[in-house]
Amino acid sequence: MAIIRRGSTYHLRKRVPLRFRLIEVREHVAVSLHTDSEKLAIRKAEEIWSQLVEGWEMALRGDTGGAQASRVPGCFHL
């Protein structure tokens, strides 16, 4: 998992797994972690990545009632 610092804020940047490419148009996701603490950024990145994967898994199953990965706060297209 790539956690990078842009200015004073950490961001998560990671390639979208191939199995989700049918439902996710982005090749990479980038999410602001809204912190300047590396330790906190690591914890937040793990949580956010889990939310993204869960959303993609739900979309693969056809479950549209739950949260979608693209609605994770701070996500933007690259």
Side-chain angles (χ1 to χ4, degrees):
M1 185 168 323
I3 298 172
I4 56 174
R5 196 168 84 183
R6 296 177 67 194
S8 63
T9 304
Y10 283 93
H11 293 75
L12 163 66
R13 179 175 163 80
K14 192 164 178 174
R15 184 181 302 267
V16 174
L18 289 175
R19 71 179 187 264
F20 301 127
R21 291 286 171 82
L22 293 174
I23 56 167
E24 176 58 69
V25 297
R26 299 172 287 184
E27 185 174 335
H28 291 87
V29 290
V31 182
S32 173
L33 299 172
H34 302 285
T35 185
D36 60 358
S37 164
E38 185 177 12
K39 193 179 236 183
L40 183 56
I42 291 168
R43 284 200 318 260
K44 286 181 144 189
E46 291 170 356
E47 292 173 19
I48 289 173
W49 184 249
S50 292
Q51 290 174 3
L52 286 166
V53 170
E54 181 182 346
W56 291 325
E57 292 286 356
M58 290 171 67
L60 281 178
R61 291 191 307 265
D63 183 355
T64 58
Q68 294 179 352
S70 61
R71 293 188 183 168
V72 172
C75 269
F76 56 91
H77 292 267
L78 298 177

